[in-house]
Amino acid sequence: QVQLVESGGGGVQPGRSLRLSCAASGFTFSSYGMHWVRQAPGKGLEWVAVISYDGSNKYYADSVKGRFTISRDNSKNTLYLQMNSLRDEDTAVYYCAKGRTYDYVGALEYWGQGTLVTVSS
Amino acid sequence: QSALTQPASVSGSPGQSITISCTGTSSDVGSYNLVSWYQQYPGKAPKLMIYEVTKRPSGVSNRFSGSKSGNTASLTISGLQAEDEADYYCCSHVVSSKVFGGGTKLTVL
């Protein structure tokens, strides 16, 4: 069965960096696009970024463009989100999600349980 | 990209049908048959319920159905059950990204 396990969350001061990881299993990781989606406490879902199956295409929400970088290591079945210049408003649970297709078009088929990032001084 | 518009809350009694609307623009919902719906229980990860406007993933009850007209997509839940009480989010593909609705809290009376 598909499993997505996020890690790397925690408390961090504004302006600092954090790297999230998402370990995937139960499917051919290298064949699917992967997404990051976040949810601020008590708020709705916000799409953050997507990477195509081979890492050749990456797209970001305007709110994180230039600060966050999505990447993947298909040899390790792992998705990453490098978050730099963190702001208070980046506080959220971050979910990784498997796309239904190889690119960035498909729906988000399976989701991890999320990892909490808290940005506060 | 602005969030899609959903009602903040809807409610219904067991056995009834409810519909949740999701209004976007001609640039997102109206341009792509790539609307999906997600169910989320408190403290849990979202679950895909509908994709490509009308399609149900394996294992999702056929009480859930989706449709679209113009810039508005809809999720209908028939034969409402207590277990359907959750938050529901629509999502549309747009160019090379995704945009979510603000979410709708479904209460089963």
Side-chain angles (χ1 to χ4, degrees):
Chain A
Q1 72 281 19
V2 173
Q3 276 201 310
L4 299 168
V5 180
E6 301 93 338
S7 61
V12 62
Q13 293 180 326
R16 304 299 291 265
S17 299
L18 207 59
R19 188 177 83 155
L20 305 182
S21 299
C22 171
S25 61
F27 66 101
T28 305
F29 180 72
S30 59
S31 296
Y32 293 93
M34 295 293 296
H35 300 254
W36 287 101
V37 177
R38 68 185 181 184
Q39 186 170 34
K43 303 297 184 182
L45 301 173
E46 180 188 13
W47 178 82
V48 173
V50 63
I51 186 169
S52 59
Y53 73 107
D54 61 353
S56 61
N57 292 292
K58 306 174 185 181
Y59 300 101
Y60 301 90
D62 288 344
S63 57
V64 306
K65 200 172 295 182
R67 300 188 299 122
F68 289 12
T69 301
I70 189 172
S71 62
R72 65 192 299 161
D73 186 336
N74 286 344
S75 68
K76 296 182 178 179
N77 288 350
T78 303
L79 175 72
Y80 301 101
L81 185 68
Q82 177 66 44
M83 304 185 295
N84 298 332
S85 303
L86 282 161
R87 305 167 180 168
D88 290 353
E89 55 265 34
D90 294 320
T91 294
V93 172
Y94 284 74
Y95 295 101
C96 70
K98 170 190 175 292
R100 286 197 71 256
T101 59
Y102 68 96
D103 55 10
Y104 45 86
V105 173
L108 282 61
E109 188 174 30
Y110 293 99
W111 299 60
Q113 285 306 302
T115 186
L116 176 62
V117 173
T118 303
V119 184
S120 173
S121 52
Chain B
Q1 184 64 43
S2 299
L4 307 177
T5 301
Q6 297 180 233
S9 63
V10 299
S11 63
S13 299
Q16 288 185 330
S17 294
I18 64 95
T19 296
I20 300 172
S21 62
C22 170
T23 301
T25 69
S26 58
S27 297
D28 40 57
V29 174
S31 283
Y32 305 90
N33 286 325
L34 293 170
V35 175
S36 50
W37 290 89
Y38 303 86
Q39 176 191 62
Q40 186 181 35
Y41 294 113
K44 300 297 185 182
K47 174 187 177 183
L48 176 64
M49 304 302 284
I50 296 287
Y51 66 97
E52 294 173 12
V53 180
T54 62
K55 299 177 181 178
R56 270 181 291 106
S58 174
V60 171
S61 171
N62 58 9
R63 296 186 299 104
F64 291 82
S65 62
S67 63
K68 190 185 87 166
S69 178
N71 298 336
T72 298
S74 298
L75 173 72
T76 297
I77 308 174
S78 59
L80 210 56
Q81 298 179 0
E83 67 200 49
D84 299 331
E85 185 163 296
D87 293 326
Y88 292 85
Y89 294 90
C90 63
C91 178
S92 177
H93 180 76
V94 50
V95 188
S96 53
S97 65
K98 305 289 189 193
V99 60
F100 283 94
T104 298
K105 180 176 179 59
L106 169 61
T107 300
V108 180
L109 302 171

